[in-house]
Amino acid sequence: MQQPFLPFALPDIGEDEIAEVVDTLRSGWVTTGPKAKRFEGDFSAFLGDPSLHSLAVNSATAGLHLTLEALGIGPGDEVITTTHTFTATAEVVRYLGADVVLVDIDPHTLCIDIDAVEAAISPRTRAVIPVHFGGLAADMTRLLALAQRHGLKVVEDAAHALPTTCGGELIGTLGSDAAVFSFYANKTITTGEGGMVVTRSEALAQRMKTMRLHGMSRDAFDRFTSKVPSWYYEIVAPGFKYNLTDIAAAIGIHQLKRAHAFQQRRAAVAAWYGQALAGLPLLLPPQPPWGEVHSWHLYVVRLGDAAPIARDAFIEKLFAAGIGCSVHYIPLHLQPYWRERYALSAAQFPHSQRAFERCVSLPIYPRMTQQDVQRVAAAARAALPL
Ligand SMILES: *Cc1c(COP(=O)(O)O)cnc(C)c1O
């Protein structure tokens, strides 16, 4: 008998999240308000530094856009990022009329190659956006030093990196200009849609708070609770509509409490995969350096040279066995918009290109059991007859 479909990703929403949403709905305050504020405070506390500014936004894409806007990125500027990412990382640069300079990845970690970043720096370069691919930290020690030498801003696309460490410190606390987390449905914690920008800069935080809500000089919560007349506000810029609702924040408050437990479960799934897939012609994902936390947002295997079938056929076979897989990523240099805008070719990004042609993301999430992992491994084994 066919087993039920094992999805590629599945959120783990508990009764506490549901009760908090119901409480929000009954409270009469459904948009940005006390729960969004609480979620922000909890987030800074989670990162272990209540002096950090955490700003809840309605997506990581919005958060990346807000950050670059607050940094003053605009026409004539260049921002360097990795080709091996989701388009959101790069599109925000184009929102502001600046140019994207894509670079290749480290073939081991699939994170941005710091040497390639260095080689891509021009007099127009203003910022670098590293991605902590799959939840393994990019080489932030080298990148931050390089950025400092060249006077560049660093904005971390931390969509995969909750919780992830680099040098024993949680991503979000490393001293970049900002780190931006995603709470999209398939991320390590979810609010359905949502994100969080974290920065140490008071000035950046102030600008982002204003731009997050229409360029109003005070946000809706202050507007309706402070002593100043509730109807009064000032528009100081043509801002955006990027605030997170209290309904979403209600989910996030409880997801965040479970983030460490989720990570432990994901790490267990990764360890089970490591055992179950041993001996197959697959390159397994790199382990984090000793003592570091990998969020294990993704579990990306690469078909080895000895694999008897191609990547697409492998995914088809797993799908036929009732298992969902994905590909991270179709690199930006292969996407029509980016390829044509910057006249890119695969030869410029050999490591990303090779990884793309061979990579498969296997299901990984807290609700997976060891039996689920064994089922995936058995299907992989059957797809790879030696
Ligand atoms: C999911 C994701 C984003 C976008 O996050 P949203 O919250 O959906 O806007 C950006 N970058 C990377 C690497 C992602 O995986």
Side-chain angles (χ1 to χ4, degrees):
M1 201 188 78
Q2 180 81 8
Q3 291 176 279
F5 189 76
L6 185 74
F8 168 66
L10 189 69
D12 186 337
I13 306 290
E15 290 305 318
D16 287 348
E17 285 89 327
I18 293 168
E20 196 74 46
V21 168
V22 170
D23 177 73
T24 306
L25 295 175
R26 292 196 201 286
S27 77
W29 194 286
V30 290
T31 188
T32 308
K35 295 210 174 160
K37 210 166 187 96
R38 190 170 131 205
F39 186 32
E40 292 176 337
D42 289 356
F43 205 84
S44 294
F46 178 91
L47 295 178
D49 185 350
S51 75
L52 282 171
H53 302 277
S54 295
L55 278 78
V57 287
N58 57 18
S59 72
T61 308
L64 289 164
H65 183 201
L66 276 181
T67 305
L68 296 183
E69 194 280 337
L71 288 170
I73 304 294
D77 295 336
E78 288 176 355
V79 177
I80 300 172
T81 192
T82 165
T83 189
H84 213 81
T85 188
F86 185 57
T87 194
T89 315
E91 73 191 20
V92 293
V93 175
R94 299 294 299 139
Y95 293 178
L96 295 161
D99 280 308
V100 175
V101 176
L102 295 176
V103 300
D104 205 358
I105 49 172
D106 175 313
H108 179 63
T109 63
L110 309 184
C111 288
I112 195 165
D113 177 348
I114 310 301
D115 290 327
V117 172
E118 185 157 25
I121 294 172
S122 86
R124 290 170 58 199
T125 308
R126 291 282 318 281
V128 185
I129 310 179
V131 176
H132 305 300
F133 182 87
L136 181 66
D139 187 349
M140 291 302 293
T141 311
R142 273 192 72 201
L143 182 62
L144 288 170
L146 177 69
Q148 187 153 36
R149 279 203 303 284
H150 292 269
L152 306 179
K153 304 295 184 187
V154 176
V155 178
E156 295 168 79
D157 180 335
H160 301 176
L162 190 76
T164 290
T165 65
C166 181
E169 308 289 335
L170 283 168
I171 296 297
T173 69
L174 300 183
S176 64
D177 291 276
V180 183
F181 297 87
S182 173
F183 311 134
Y184 181 64
N186 67 5
K187 297 300 187 347
T188 55
I189 75 167
T190 187
T191 59
E193 300 280 358
M196 192 74 77
V197 184
V198 176
T199 182
R200 280 191 204 287
S201 162
E202 175 74 33
L204 271 191
Q206 282 311 325
R207 175 70 181 178
M208 291 193 279
K209 277 184 190 170
T210 301
M211 295 306 282
R212 173 174 64 175
L213 198 68
H214 300 298
M216 279 186 194
S217 58
R218 310 149 67 197
D219 70 27
F221 182 70
D222 293 340
R223 187 148 67 90
F224 289 101
T225 58
S226 71
K227 298 279 180 276
V228 186
S230 63
W231 50 265
Y232 188 76
Y233 59 85
E234 289 180 356
I235 299 300
V236 297
F240 312 111
K241 187 71 203 299
Y242 284 169
N243 54 302
L244 187 74
T245 70
D246 265 23
I247 299 172
I251 306 171
I253 286 165
H254 293 280
Q255 288 275 292
L256 186 63
K257 288 187 179 149
R258 303 169 69 200
H260 287 303
F262 285 163
Q263 188 278 335
Q264 280 159 21
R265 184 68 182 193
R266 285 172 175 276
V269 171
W272 293 331
Y273 269 133
Q275 290 163 6
L277 298 172
L280 294 181
L282 294 174
L283 177 61
L284 303 185
Q287 294 295 314
W290 192 87
E292 302 286 7
V293 177
H294 187 320
S295 77
W296 292 109
H297 166 56
L298 298 176
Y299 192 87
V300 178
V301 300
R302 284 175 269 176
L303 293 170
D305 291 328
I309 61 169
R311 191 270 314 278
D312 296 9
F314 181 82
I315 292 177
E316 286 286 309
K317 290 204 169 173
L318 263 66
F319 189 78
I323 295 160
C325 294
S326 191
V327 170
H328 293 89
Y329 286 94
I330 307 169
L332 298 186
H333 67 259
L334 294 181
Q335 295 291 2
Y337 171 75
W338 297 109
R339 190 183 65 222
E340 287 160 25
R341 180 72 182 72
Y342 294 111
L344 305 173
S345 71
Q348 294 169 262
F349 309 94
H351 298 309
S352 171
Q353 184 66 28
R354 185 178 159 87
F356 162 66
E357 286 167 5
R358 290 153 186 273
C359 71
V360 180
S361 300
L362 300 179
I364 185 167
Y365 39 93
R367 287 190 175 180
M368 277 182 75
T369 63
Q370 193 164 9
Q371 286 65 42
D372 291 331
V373 170
Q374 271 152 5
R375 180 179 160 198
V376 177
R381 196 172 298 278
L384 297 168
L386 287 177

